[in-house]
Amino acid sequence: MPWSIHLAGHHHSFRDLRTLLAKATPHRSGDALAGLAAESAEERVAAQYLLADLPLAHFLEDPLIPYEDNEVTRLIVDRHDANAFHTVSAMSVGEFRDWLLAYETDSKALAAVAPGLTPEMVAAVSKIMANQDLILVASKCEVVSRFRNTLGLRGRLSVRLQPNHPTDNMRGIAASMLDGLLMGCGDAVIGINPATDQVSTTCALLHLMDDLISRYEIPTQSCVLAHVTTQLRAIEQGAPVDLVFQSIAGSQAANKSFGINLALLGEARDAALSLGRGTLGNDGMYFETGQGSALSANGHHGIDQQTMEARAYAVAREFSPLLVNTVVGFIGPEYLYDGKQIIRAGLEDHFCGKLLGLPMGCDVCYTNHAEADQDDMDNLLTLLGVAGCNYIMGVPGADDIMLGYQSTSFHDAHYLRQVLNKRPAPEFEAWLEKAGIADSQGHLRDNPPALADAPLALGLMP
């Protein structure tokens, strides 16, 4: 079905829904690389005009990828909750935007409608929203998840402690873990990206984290971000697996490039739950995403990268994860060229994920060859904090020496908690005070007594 409009004396025509969505998207290098971006600001505005008038129900009638060809599309269609959708079913995309921004639309209303929204609907409305709109609506969403602590409560900000090492050196990783804990980080997860995807390494890292968590009774969870099949083999060998991790994307072809499908993810979730390691809840999965991954895999089906990113959130939603985050600037300037594009993408991703009911975090990051710097990341970090982001990354010095990219540091998390009056997860906050790491005001202390023997216990002393 083609759409057309006259604007400023010019005629603009869009041959199908994919084209309309792509042309309405704020400019980014990945869509230009794929030949999908608007050719001018005028064409983008024309597409946004038409998109605003499009009924939300149209997205149920016109799948971007055919139902019979793609298991992600089948998941989106089959899981759609018509009763939840009823509240907004008669609205256009523009009217939906107005409803989202209304005073009366609170966190309860947003949670109620979430199962009735498809990724394409939330991607579409994000394309006609300003950055401040994305922040306001996301700030009204409260998505709570639980494993050994409670994440996502209003007024809270959690941190993934990311102690990566380029050779998986146990002492180096242990030192980074201790550094992060002493800075009040680690309540989202202590999560290690292994340098090599080997079962033996995965098991060794899992035991290292489990020993630390058990010894000091830390109310958090661990994860080794190896491939899901490696983690399944670790479970078979009796490793102490808390969360099962996997990178995911928004199409069957892109997920195939990751070596996964929905059935495998279901098997992994069942395996994680069978261990019964959660104490407060059973949200045992951790997913990461990022704009551009489907295009990298040639699995984007001519769809813009932000809409494909939103489709990945349908995959995540199926498995009730504890954590989901967009690694927003990780792939590089081919997809998000500079700080401006990274900031916009981070706000879009967080908004879309929260609106779909996901416990969204963000790896506020960039690669060294992008036209971005740490000032850009400070800006995005602060905006996401205002938007109610569930968690961010804590990397020693903000420089991941294994993955080779720039992220956020332990100190950055402490800054954001101070400036926005945010606290860690409640159980973790109580532990920080009990351990003498922080006082009742959240202020960090030196030489906490509960961790005095940690350097020796972790093998850091000669």
Side-chain angles (χ1 to χ4, degrees):
M1 173 182 172
W3 286 269
S4 61
I5 187 175
H6 278 86
L7 186 69
H10 297 95
H11 179 77
H12 298 277
S13 182
F14 308 93
R15 66 178 180 273
D16 53 26
L17 184 56
R18 289 186 222 182
T19 305
L20 183 66
L21 286 167
K23 299 292 189 181
T25 306
H27 181 73
R28 62 209 57 198
S29 52
D31 290 338
L33 178 66
L36 303 174
E39 296 181 6
S40 66
E42 182 181 297
E43 185 181 33
R44 182 174 303 110
V45 170
Q48 290 171 339
Y49 262 105
L50 289 167
L51 187 60
D53 288 336
L54 188 68
L56 284 179
H58 185 87
F59 292 98
L60 300 175
E61 303 162 2
D62 188 9
L64 297 182
I65 307 175
Y67 181 93
E68 59 275 11
D69 295 343
N70 195 274
E71 67 173 0
V72 176
T73 299
R74 292 194 289 274
L75 178 68
I76 292 167
V77 173
D78 294 348
R79 293 292 189 267
H80 181 255
D81 187 330
N83 291 328
F85 182 56
H86 179 74
T87 300
V88 297
S89 60
M91 294 181 187
S92 67
V93 173
E95 290 168 336
F96 182 44
R97 172 187 175 274
D98 293 342
W99 181 81
L100 290 171
L101 293 169
Y103 292 120
E104 298 77 17
T105 305
D106 56 14
S107 59
K108 184 177 179 181
L110 292 169
V113 80
L117 300 177
T118 69
E120 292 83 358
M121 293 175 191
V122 300
V125 75
S126 75
K127 297 175 192 299
I128 62 168
M129 298 177 81
N131 285 5
Q132 64 179 254
D133 299 336
L134 300 174
I135 294 168
L136 174 58
V137 175
S139 73
K140 295 195 287 185
C141 297
E142 185 178 20
V143 183
V144 178
S145 58
R146 294 178 175 88
F147 193 76
R148 290 205 191 99
N149 55 21
T150 307
L151 303 175
L153 293 169
R154 193 168 301 282
R156 303 281 175 171
L157 174 73
S158 296
V159 184
R160 170 189 162 189
L161 202 173
Q162 184 171 313
N164 297 343
H165 192 278
T167 63
D168 291 330
N169 180 276
M170 296 294 167
R171 292 186 70 193
I173 289 170
S176 293
M177 289 195 298
L178 183 57
D179 187 21
L181 289 170
L182 292 174
M183 286 296 296
C185 298
D187 50 341
V189 65
I190 302 176
I192 303 170
N193 297 89
T196 59
D197 200 302
Q198 298 177 346
V199 177
S200 59
T201 301
T202 296
C203 290
L205 293 172
L206 286 166
H207 282 292
L208 174 67
M209 291 185 287
D210 186 58
D211 290 347
L212 176 70
I213 290 170
S214 299
R215 176 186 291 267
Y216 298 103
E217 299 180 332
I218 307 171
T220 190
Q221 38 282 326
S222 67
C223 185
V224 174
L225 283 71
H227 191 267
V228 65
T229 54
T230 304
Q231 294 166 84
L232 283 170
R233 290 174 63 192
I235 290 174
E236 292 170 357
Q237 295 187 15
V241 174
D242 290 341
L243 306 184
V244 172
F245 165 82
Q246 183 54 47
S247 295
I248 57 174
S251 74
Q252 185 173 333
N255 283 325
K256 184 178 180 181
S257 77
F258 288 148
I260 62 167
N261 54 38
L262 298 181
L264 179 59
L265 294 179
E267 178 187 346
R269 181 170 185 264
D270 290 344
L273 291 178
S274 73
L275 300 179
R277 293 177 60 82
T279 55
L280 297 184
N282 294 313
D283 300 324
M285 299 293 283
Y286 174 17
F287 295 117
E288 287 188 344
T289 67
Q291 289 192 29
S293 60
L295 178 57
S296 291
N298 195 29
H300 65 296
H301 297 270
I303 301 168
D304 68 273
Q305 66 184 39
Q306 190 254 333
T307 301
M308 287 302 300
E309 169 74 3
R311 283 174 58 95
Y313 302 154
V315 175
R317 184 166 63 172
E318 176 69 4
F319 300 101
S320 301
L322 181 77
L323 306 167
V324 181
N325 72 265
T326 167
V327 194
V328 64
F330 181 74
I331 304 181
E334 301 88 349
Y335 303 101
L336 296 169
Y337 179 72
D338 57 15
K340 180 181 178 66
Q341 292 184 17
I342 293 171
I343 288 170
R344 172 70 190 190
L347 295 177
E348 289 171 345
D349 294 349
H350 178 253
F351 162 86
C352 289
K354 279 290 185 64
L355 205 53
L356 289 169
L358 288 176
M360 284 298 294
C362 183
D363 190 343
V364 179
C365 63
Y366 65 100
T367 58
N368 291 319
H369 61 309
E371 289 294 321
D373 57 29
Q374 210 63 40
D375 288 339
D376 296 313
M377 299 306 102
D378 285 351
N379 293 340
L380 178 54
L381 173 69
T382 306
L383 293 173
L384 285 168
V386 174
C389 190
N390 281 26
Y391 71 103
I392 59 169
M393 307 299 120
V395 178
D399 183 357
D400 193 305
I401 57 174
M402 194 282 283
L403 291 173
Y405 78 118
Q406 307 302 312
S407 184
T408 45
S409 72
F410 305 140
H411 298 77
D412 292 338
H414 193 54
Y415 145 73
L416 199 58
R417 284 172 175 164
Q418 288 184 82
V419 76
L420 296 179
N421 193 27
K422 302 258 187 181
R423 298 294 186 93
E427 301 84 0
F428 193 81
E429 180 183 27
W431 177 81
L432 290 173
E433 188 173 349
K434 179 182 177 182
I437 294 173
D439 62 21
S440 60
Q441 303 302 310
H443 299 162
L444 298 175
R445 291 175 167 173
D446 295 327
N447 304 315
L451 293 181
D453 67 337
L456 181 62
L458 291 171
L460 299 177
M461 301 297 289

